[in-house]
Amino acid sequence: MREIGQPYPRLPLPETAQAEDLDAFQDWLQQAIPLVAHLGLKRMTWQGDTLLWQLSLAPNLNDKGSGFGGSLAAQTTLIGWCWTTLWLRGQGRAQDVVVASAEQRYLAPVTGDYRLECRPATADAVDGLQARLAERGKGRLPLVQRLSVGDTCCLEAQGDYAILPLRD
């Protein structure tokens, strides 16, 4: 068992962004952040600049039989952290990522297995981040998340993710 305050070993960087094995990343993620193994994450894939997750509702039920808001908020925060971490890994950068701010808006109950999407908040967000990383070695990235059951959007979220130099 890992001690509190002890970082989990980093996953080696892929040779290229296209070489990232998302199954291996998901396995590592479940070890590095134990909560992930209990969130019902079935699969993650990329579609252009959007990270997609397929999730099971069963482990995220509330007392009413629909999605528990706390689980859904954790998932929106986590997918943003993953988007940022995977993007950095694809750039050959091993840096710390932390959530700086997060906000969710619940639109409809989650009543079945669902899809969670994450992408940059604006078309130029990644370019701005690249410039800040080149200049200062750190920066922030605004991302948006959308959770849907079928064609129904149930939750919209946004978050700012801070990219920091590695701590020794």
Side-chain angles (χ1 to χ4, degrees):
M1 176 153 276
R2 193 162 96 228
E3 296 289 323
I4 294 173
Q6 184 164 30
Y8 194 76
R10 291 185 176 274
L11 191 62
L13 290 172
E15 291 184 24
T16 66
Q18 294 77 25
E20 184 76 64
D21 180 344
L22 291 180
D23 291 332
F25 180 81
Q26 185 174 337
D27 289 343
W28 172 85
L29 187 64
Q30 290 177 355
Q31 297 299 314
I33 304 173
L35 177 65
V36 174
H38 306 283
L39 291 177
L41 176 57
K42 296 191 276 190
R43 184 171 50 105
M44 66 172 72
T45 57
W46 282 105
Q47 188 173 61
D49 68 349
T50 301
L51 183 60
L52 303 170
W53 283 6
Q54 299 297 322
L55 296 118
S56 174
L57 177 58
N60 299 291
L61 288 172
N62 64 17
D63 58 318
K64 297 160 207 57
S66 58
F68 173 57
S71 290
L72 306 179
Q75 291 166 356
T76 62
T77 301
L78 183 62
I79 195 173
W81 182 90
C82 287
W83 194 106
T84 307
T85 298
L86 287 165
W87 180 84
L88 286 166
R89 289 172 55 74
Q91 304 296 307
R93 299 182 77 107
Q95 291 190 248
D96 283 328
V97 175
V98 297
V99 62
S101 66
E103 182 178 312
Q104 299 82 30
R105 197 168 132 229
Y106 300 87
L107 305 171
V110 177
T111 57
D113 290 352
Y114 50 100
R115 178 182 71 256
L116 183 56
E117 304 173 6
C118 181
R119 61 177 165 65
T122 62
D124 63 346
V126 172
D127 291 340
L129 174 61
Q130 283 178 315
R132 287 185 297 282
L133 289 173
E135 180 183 320
R136 299 185 356 232
K138 62 182 182 176
R140 280 193 180 203
L141 179 65
L143 297 171
V144 294
Q145 300 87 20
R146 181 181 166 102
L147 186 153
S148 301
V149 175
D151 292 334
T152 302
C153 179
C154 301
L155 182 154
E156 292 176 340
Q158 58 187 27
D160 259 3
Y161 294 83
I163 294 90
L164 308 170
L166 286 179
R167 293 186 313 177
D168 292 330

